[in-house]
Amino acid sequence: MVSIRGNALLGSDLTFTEDMTIEIDDEGVIISIAKEKKTADYLLPSSYVIVPGFINAHIHLGDAFLKDQTYGSSLEEAVGPNGIKHSKLSTSGIEEKIGSIRNSLEMLIQNGFTSFADFREEGIRGIDLLRNELKQYPIRGIILGRQTEKNTFDEVSKNCDGLGIRDVFDINQEGYTTLSKLKTNNPSMLVGIHVSESEEVIAESISKFGKRDISIITENDVFDFVVHANYSKDEELKLLSQRDIDVVCCPISSLYFGLKFPPLELIQKYDILFSLGTDNVLSCNPDPFRLMAFTLYNARANCQNISPKEVLKSITVNAGLILKQKIGQLKIGYSGDLLAIDLESYNLKFSKDVYTAITLRADQSDICFQMYKGKVIKWKDRK
């Protein structure tokens, strides 16, 4: 067992609470949180605040080797089925792919992420590549596989944590039937899909199916969450809410490709749980601080009212709930994944609000202590 004592953001509302002792058992699970002034294995300075480890709810970490090769390209040109990314993936060697995965994992950890959900390309082969690399890194990878010409939905689902489907053009009626059976047999299996990422995607959906993509996916009771929803309409968000389908938004990636900022305020209006992801590493680094600040600044620019606390919850509490894992909260029974941020650092000194400080001013250098499953992976005060 290990114990940490300090100020902390506790529970599902990230309530700031002073001088708490958190105990984590040998399995890496939080077993006690109490305001008891007793000796702890790690007594953190009073300027630190303990927060849940960050969760990247949507990433494609295998395309890091394409950094800065797609700027100025359209979404379709960069990451479409016949675009730069998939052309390069089909011809790149195993060492290049492994190097790309390792670079992404190292960035995730250094920036304070303790969990991520990857939409994995290349079927079972892609899943195996990532799973093998994860054995060497202190981070939780939730792998959402994708079917290929060689691997069916059923085969892929047996080798990972769920399915991350490209879009409505990548699935036919037989596929929906298969997904329905898989979900019936395994209700906890995660299924996500990209929707309404661009106007072109919506136009193609209308041309091919006679309706917009969100209308299609809400007719099939197999999806747990959608990714993007940049161009979703009021009535479509209402449908998602009625179907209890969550939304993961990737605002940096969307604006990188010249797309619309997601309607976060409307998403909240319909009580839809939302989280954030960084999406393709080729378009932006997996940096939670940049992601939070970018989201808040652009929400203001788009006249959307989103609070710093809600944005912080989106990459902790909400992400854990969307991904159906006991992560993202400092709470008994949850994984002992946590960070400690120094509120007296140069970046944060004099700030009067902890949530605004973390989301708008902090960066990776302000993380002074980091744990994954109760194991220390960063401690700046270590002698």
Side-chain angles (χ1 to χ4, degrees):
M1 188 182 76
V2 65
S3 56
I4 311 97
R5 182 176 161 188
N7 305 321
L9 301 184
L10 300 180
S12 61
D13 199 44
L14 300 179
T15 303
F16 181 82
T17 312
E18 294 183 337
D19 199 15
M20 302 299 293
T21 299
I22 301 170
E23 294 181 335
I24 303 170
D25 68 15
D26 293 339
E27 301 300 315
V29 177
I30 297 172
I31 57 172
S32 173
I33 301 176
K35 199 172 183 65
E36 297 178 3
K37 295 186 177 181
K38 58 184 181 180
T39 302
D41 296 302
Y42 301 98
L43 179 59
L44 302 184
S46 60
S47 64
Y48 287 14
V49 61
I50 304 168
V51 303
F54 297 142
I55 304 166
N56 195 329
H58 183 70
I59 188 171
H60 297 267
L61 52 71
D63 56 29
F65 71 100
L66 291 171
K67 290 177 187 175
D68 307 324
Q69 295 183 45
T70 58
Y71 184 75
S73 301
S74 69
L75 180 70
E76 185 67 18
E77 290 168 342
V79 298
N82 300 310
I84 296 168
K85 171 179 173 173
H86 291 286
S87 174
K88 295 281 188 179
L89 278 175
S90 66
T91 58
S92 61
I94 189 72
E95 291 305 317
E96 192 168 32
K97 291 177 182 178
I98 290 174
S100 187
I101 290 171
R102 288 176 179 173
N103 177 245
S104 295
L105 291 174
E106 287 161 2
M107 284 192 292
L108 283 161
I109 294 165
Q110 286 300 313
N111 287 329
F113 284 113
T114 53
S115 301
F116 67 88
D118 183 71
F119 266 37
R120 192 94 282 266
E121 287 99 353
E122 299 192 296
I124 294 173
R125 181 177 60 176
I127 292 166
D128 289 342
L129 269 183
L130 176 53
R131 195 179 299 286
N132 287 336
E133 292 306 313
L134 273 172
K135 295 174 184 177
Q136 307 171 52
Y137 291 90
I139 190 169
R140 178 180 296 97
I142 299 162
I143 304 175
L144 303 179
R146 184 176 296 177
Q147 85 282 17
T148 65
E149 291 181 358
K150 295 181 179 180
N151 303 134
T152 65
F153 281 130
D154 189 29
E155 291 169 336
V156 170
S157 69
K158 291 174 181 176
N159 287 272
C160 56
D161 303 299
L163 298 169
I165 299 168
R166 182 172 65 89
D167 52 35
V168 293
F169 313 113
D170 212 28
I171 180 171
N172 55 25
Q173 192 53 53
E174 182 182 351
Y176 285 117
T177 301
T178 300
L179 286 178
S180 181
K181 290 178 181 177
L182 289 172
K183 288 288 284 185
T184 299
N185 294 332
N186 183 12
S188 64
M189 183 183 74
L190 279 172
V191 181
I193 186 171
H194 299 101
V195 299
S196 295
E197 186 172 6
S198 69
E199 291 179 306
E200 288 75 16
V201 166
I202 294 171
E204 185 179 353
S205 179
I206 293 171
S207 174
K208 187 171 183 178
F209 304 114
K211 60 186 73 174
R212 293 163 64 97
D213 54 0
I214 289 182
S215 295
I216 295 169
I217 68 105
T218 53
E219 291 172 355
N220 296 275
D221 192 20
V222 296
F223 297 102
D224 298 288
F225 68 94
V226 298
V227 180
H228 299 306
N230 298 329
Y231 293 86
S232 53
K233 292 184 174 181
D234 197 288
E235 59 268 25
E236 292 173 326
L237 293 174
K238 188 174 181 179
L239 278 174
L240 292 177
S241 179
Q242 290 170 347
R243 287 288 193 176
D244 198 24
I245 297 174
D246 306 317
V247 177
V248 179
C249 299
C250 305
I252 296 181
S253 178
S254 293
L255 270 67
Y256 173 91
F257 289 116
L259 305 173
K260 188 178 179 182
F261 185 77
L264 297 179
E265 188 173 17
L266 265 182
I267 289 169
Q268 284 196 309
K269 171 187 172 183
Y270 286 107
D271 294 322
I272 298 170
L273 204 60
F274 87 91
S275 186
L276 298 174
T278 53
D279 205 7
N280 302 93
V281 180
L282 65 81
S283 63
C284 66
N285 287 346
D287 182 335
F289 299 105
R290 183 181 295 179
L291 177 61
M292 290 188 287
F294 185 93
T295 299
L296 283 167
Y297 287 136
N298 278 278
R300 288 298 303 273
N302 285 274
C303 300
Q304 296 188 36
N305 184 23
I306 303 293
S307 74
K309 188 176 187 179
E310 285 303 317
V311 168
L312 183 56
K313 286 174 68 174
S314 76
I315 68 164
T316 53
V317 177
N318 294 2
L321 294 172
I322 289 172
L323 298 173
K324 300 181 181 179
Q325 302 271 332
K326 287 201 169 184
I327 56 177
Q329 298 184 46
L330 300 178
K331 184 176 180 179
I332 293 173
Y334 278 61
S335 185
D337 311 332
L338 55 86
L339 317 170
I341 294 173
D342 185 4
L343 298 178
E344 285 292 315
S345 70
Y346 289 116
N347 286 333
L348 309 183
K349 192 177 181 68
F350 300 123
S351 176
K352 303 303 181 186
D353 182 80
V354 63
Y355 308 105
T356 307
I358 293 171
T359 55
L360 285 183
R361 295 186 180 276
D363 63 28
Q364 183 265 346
S365 68
D366 299 312
I367 301 174
C368 296
F369 185 85
Q370 186 168 332
M371 272 187 163
Y372 172 64
K373 292 185 177 180
K375 305 292 185 184
V376 176
I377 58 176
K378 180 186 293 186
W379 186 19
K380 285 189 177 181
D381 288 343
R382 190 192 300 271
K383 303 300 182 186

